[in-house]
Amino acid sequence: MDRYPPIAEHGLVGDLQTVALVSSKGVMDWFAAPRVDSPSIFAALLDHDKGGHFHIGPDATDVTYRQLYYPDTAVLVTRFMSPDGVGELIDWMPPNTSGSPTDRHTVIRGIRAVRGTVTFNLDCRPRFDYGRAKHELRLDDRYAAFHAPGIACHLRTTFPVARAGDDVTGTVTLNAGQTAGAVLTVCAADGAAPPPTNEEEITEALWDAVNFWQDWVRTANYRGRWPDMVRRSAITLKLLTYAPTGAPIAAATMGLPEQVGGERNWDYRFTWVRDASLSVRALLDLGFAEEASAYTRWLGDRIHDRLEMPGERLQIMYRVDGDPQLTEEILEHFEGYRGSYPVRAGNAAMDQLQLDIYGEALYAMAEGREIGVQAGYRGWKAAAKTLDWLADNWDRPDEGIWETRGGRKDFTFSRVMTWVAFDRGLRLAEEFSRPADIVRWRDTRDAILGQIMTKGWSEKEQALVQHYDGDVLDASLLLIPRVGLLGPKDPAWLSTLDAMDRKLVSDSLVYRYDPAASPDGLRGSEGTFSLCTFLYVDALARAGRLRQARYAFEKMLTYANHVGLFAEEIGPSGEQLGNFPQAFTHLSLIMAASTLDDALDGKQTL
């Protein structure tokens, strides 16, 4: 087993409440439960020796590995080809369709010999609470129970397993056509042990999962040029959404580095208002109204929560249940992915001031009106009161969209999105005849635009720039034509797009900004930001630069991993970096594909 496989060498499985990563060699090296933001059970991806893993693979040395998804599903197939035979490992989690939170989650790992004879080895080594909690093992032939404080894992197999200290190993030899399996169930420490399993039950559960995912994907209305990548992105967004609340998380993992060996190692298993609000547009582009509606309701609850409280009306991120507490700690006992220390759990950026989130929140509410998702009178009053508050509080330095830790500045993108907040608020008030301080909102919106075009404009670069005190470019501004602050062919915007081409684009890949030119309070560098590359495609398409847009999009698709997944960034050698897979990247892929399809088909895009 590789100590640290490449970040991209993984597939994702999940049950709509939590997720797990499986490497292309059959190692489950990331799994947190009972919720996606819970402490880990397997975290070998962050510390090979202390993190814990669950490996099933062939007992052979000369092996070729291949991995794929069963078509249009979240069922992951890992294939092993050796001189003695060909075997398969099939991983999935039965989808939890009840809509209610549960502490019981199951990972099913089916194995079979396709040709010849294959001997499979099993090695299950859970390490609870990020490897900090000890566990006890109870073992009985084909059943093992791992008990730690507050949590238990029950392992059922169709073949005998043996003790290896407080862990479990096993071996099974299969001839062509024979199957076996292992089922891991996580539950509360006092939860009932699941019954024994057999091959027939595993097969039935497999087809139930296949039918669930294929039935869901079939409802998508995408008919464009890139159906496989768009559907894979949709499934990934679905896996990264906590079904009981409808809140999408930013990524499945924590601690994976933006630069190997560097310190930019964050916990992304939370719901950012910004990311999630943009996902509404992506989901609506595909016709997934139910998912878009669920998040819009979740967002409305967050706005209402702080309506009568002092201070900010929204926090930049929350836990999936709406809890605002995301206290950050450093897991000092973990060495980090390939030595990328520190490993952080929680996220201290929760306390940052990022004024753009109000624009993203109103953008999501306005987009939702397409499917009849209205906030209702109570929700509108909360939104209107928030805008009244924002009219007094928009003109402040903040930390900006990229959560820099180098001090507050007057970030242009933050002003752009506060303009969006008032613009969309005015549209909603007019469209639905809602009570609003129209004159004040309009005057504030217009004042923000004037400030952006004077203080945010650099004569040197002939472009809108990152903040008012410099000439640094910032790719977040690629959203300007999508949100409508400037038209996609406005001379000022085209000049800004040209400046980004010169300074931020590297063979179609886009950097967020230049940390050397605009210090962000952190050491090291980072790769190109995949979200920004897809926003670049979107902006090019809207500007009518269709050949350039399509070529950039097609090239970007080549950086996807073997099963169509993207992390946060692309490194200098084309490697994927950062937490994986990242929702921001996949939602922007969907948005770019939809915009580019419309532009190539001659449809008007706004």
Side-chain angles (χ1 to χ4, degrees):
M1 185 176 84
D2 294 343
R3 284 186 63 82
Y4 292 103
I7 290 170
E9 283 297 309
H10 291 86
L12 179 74
V13 298
D15 68 353
L16 310 183
Q17 294 192 18
T18 191
V19 295
L21 293 185
V22 180
S23 80
S24 59
K25 293 188 177 179
V27 183
M28 186 171 291
D29 52 15
W30 177 257
F31 179 46
R35 223 167 57 181
V36 67
D37 57 354
S38 298
S40 64
I41 296 171
F42 303 125
L45 201 52
L46 299 178
D47 193 295
H48 177 272
D49 298 324
K50 300 173 184 175
H53 66 263
F54 186 7
H55 179 214
I56 296 179
D59 185 12
T61 54
D62 186 11
V63 179
T64 299
Y65 299 88
R66 294 287 186 268
Q67 199 172 53
L68 69 153
Y69 279 109
Y70 196 89
D72 288 343
T73 75
V75 175
L76 187 67
V77 181
T78 306
R79 308 192 76 218
F80 311 100
M81 289 164 275
S82 70
D84 294 326
V86 177
E88 288 184 347
L89 167 67
I90 306 177
D91 285 297
W92 75 97
M93 298 180 70
N96 188 318
T97 57
S98 70
S100 300
T102 179
D103 60 11
R104 184 173 289 263
H105 303 274
T106 297
V107 176
I108 303 178
R109 315 199 74 186
I111 52 180
R112 73 183 184 118
V114 179
R115 293 180 178 177
T117 300
V118 183
T119 297
F120 290 90
N121 290 334
L122 175 150
D123 183 18
C124 186
R125 301 175 180 269
R127 297 293 182 265
F128 298 92
D129 188 25
Y130 305 117
R132 296 179 294 196
K134 300 293 185 182
H135 67 264
E136 296 180 354
L137 171 65
R138 296 204 317 266
L139 185 64
D140 181 14
D141 188 40
R142 302 185 182 196
Y143 168 74
F146 305 88
H147 283 274
I151 192 169
C153 281
H154 300 272
L155 177 65
R156 299 166 289 158
T157 61
T158 62
F159 53 92
V161 292
R163 177 186 290 270
D166 288 328
D167 303 317
V168 165
T169 61
T171 300
V172 60
T173 299
L174 303 177
N175 296 317
Q178 292 183 322
T179 63
V183 180
L184 184 75
T185 299
V186 179
C187 62
D190 58 354
T197 191
N198 56 54
E199 287 86 351
E200 291 75 16
E201 289 180 348
I202 290 174
T203 299
E204 182 179 355
L206 169 63
W207 293 117
D208 285 346
V210 167
N211 291 337
F212 170 84
W213 285 106
Q214 290 186 341
D215 288 347
W216 181 78
V217 169
R218 197 173 291 121
T219 65
N221 60 16
Y222 181 78
R223 300 294 183 269
R225 293 166 176 80
W226 301 279
D228 290 342
M229 291 300 297
V230 167
R231 288 197 296 263
R232 179 53 50 199
S233 290
I235 291 171
T236 303
L237 290 180
K238 180 81 166 173
L239 286 170
L240 296 178
T241 299
Y242 184 66
T245 63
I249 58 170
T253 58
M254 53 173 272
L256 293 180
E258 298 175 15
Q259 177 189 27
V260 174
E263 66 171 336
R264 301 165 187 262
N265 317 316
W266 315 112
D267 190 345
Y268 275 10
R269 301 171 299 154
F270 309 116
T271 300
W272 269 253
V273 169
R274 173 188 313 113
D275 304 33
S277 294
L278 290 175
S279 74
V280 169
R281 180 67 265 165
L283 291 167
L284 290 176
D285 284 344
L286 301 181
F288 292 123
E290 182 179 340
E291 288 76 7
S293 300
Y295 171 70
T296 303
R297 290 192 296 270
W298 182 92
L299 176 63
D301 289 340
R302 303 290 77 73
I303 293 173
H304 203 271
D305 285 346
R306 295 188 59 87
L307 206 54
E308 304 301 329
M309 299 174 66
E312 300 303 313
R313 292 301 185 264
L314 271 176
Q315 190 166 289
I316 69 169
M317 70 180 92
Y318 300 84
R319 293 190 181 275
V320 290
D321 60 357
D323 184 350
Q325 297 304 314
L326 289 77
T327 304
E328 184 176 299
E329 63 175 323
I330 292 176
L331 304 180
E332 296 181 355
H333 61 294
F334 272 4
E335 70 172 7
Y337 176 83
R338 298 188 179 180
S340 302
Y341 181 88
V343 176
R344 298 177 177 90
N347 201 310
M350 69 176 190
D351 291 328
Q352 285 195 354
L353 175 63
Q354 296 178 24
L355 292 167
D356 63 286
I357 61 175
Y358 297 100
E360 280 112 15
L362 267 295
Y363 180 83
M365 293 177 66
E367 296 298 292
R369 75 188 189 281
E370 293 185 12
I371 53 171
V373 177
Q374 299 179 34
Y377 185 74
R378 173 177 174 271
W380 171 254
K381 290 290 287 184
K385 197 167 184 178
T386 299
L387 285 173
D388 290 340
W389 172 88
L390 188 60
D392 292 324
N393 290 277
W394 65 270
D395 196 9
R396 293 178 289 163
D398 67 355
E399 273 91 3
I401 179 177
W402 306 128
E403 292 161 20
T404 59
R405 301 192 180 190
R408 294 181 177 179
K409 295 180 174 65
D410 291 304
F411 283 100
T412 305
F413 181 76
S414 297
R415 299 300 197 274
V416 169
M417 295 311 293
T418 53
W419 178 91
V420 171
F422 290 105
D423 181 73
R424 296 317 194 265
L426 287 163
R427 294 188 194 186
L428 290 170
E430 179 178 0
E431 185 169 347
F432 297 110
S433 302
R434 296 302 188 205
D437 193 342
I438 297 292
V439 173
R440 189 180 186 211
W441 292 4
R442 185 176 60 239
D443 289 347
T444 304
R445 179 196 63 183
D446 296 345
I448 296 170
L449 177 60
Q451 187 190 89
I452 290 169
M453 298 308 296
T454 53
K455 295 185 177 182
W457 180 262
S458 166
E459 287 296 328
K460 175 184 174 183
E461 297 293 345
Q462 287 295 292
L464 291 167
V465 291
Q466 184 181 65
H467 56 77
Y468 294 171
D469 299 324
D471 298 305
V472 177
L473 296 169
D474 193 308
S476 63
L477 298 177
L478 287 164
L479 273 168
I480 281 176
R482 174 172 277 273
V483 299
L485 181 98
L486 295 176
K489 298 183 181 180
D490 185 293
W493 171 246
L494 292 178
S495 181
T496 299
L497 187 57
D498 290 339
M500 291 188 188
D501 274 330
R502 294 192 302 270
K503 293 293 185 72
L504 297 181
V505 179
S506 174
D507 190 36
S508 82
L509 299 177
V510 182
Y511 290 93
R512 294 190 292 182
Y513 57 93
D514 180 0
S518 180
D520 57 12
L522 297 164
R523 296 188 302 274
S525 61
E526 62 179 19
T528 57
F529 209 69
S530 297
L531 159 75
C532 297
T533 301
F534 285 121
L535 294 182
Y536 175 62
V537 170
D538 190 280
L540 288 172
R542 291 171 185 273
R545 301 175 180 181
L546 298 187
R547 288 183 178 177
Q548 188 181 0
R550 184 166 188 177
Y551 189 41
F553 187 76
E554 296 283 6
K555 283 200 290 187
M556 184 58 187
L557 296 185
T558 69
Y559 291 99
N561 81 343
H562 56 287
V563 290
L565 302 182
F566 285 93
E568 183 179 21
E569 301 182 5
I570 305 296
S573 300
E575 73 276 21
Q576 296 208 31
L577 295 172
N579 285 303
F580 175 88
Q582 199 201 37
F584 231 171
T585 306
H586 286 278
L587 69 89
S588 61
L589 183 157
I590 294 169
M591 290 162 55
S594 298
T595 298
L596 189 52
D597 274 319
D598 284 349
L600 290 168
D601 291 339
K603 298 176 183 177
Q604 185 179 10
T605 56
L606 301 177

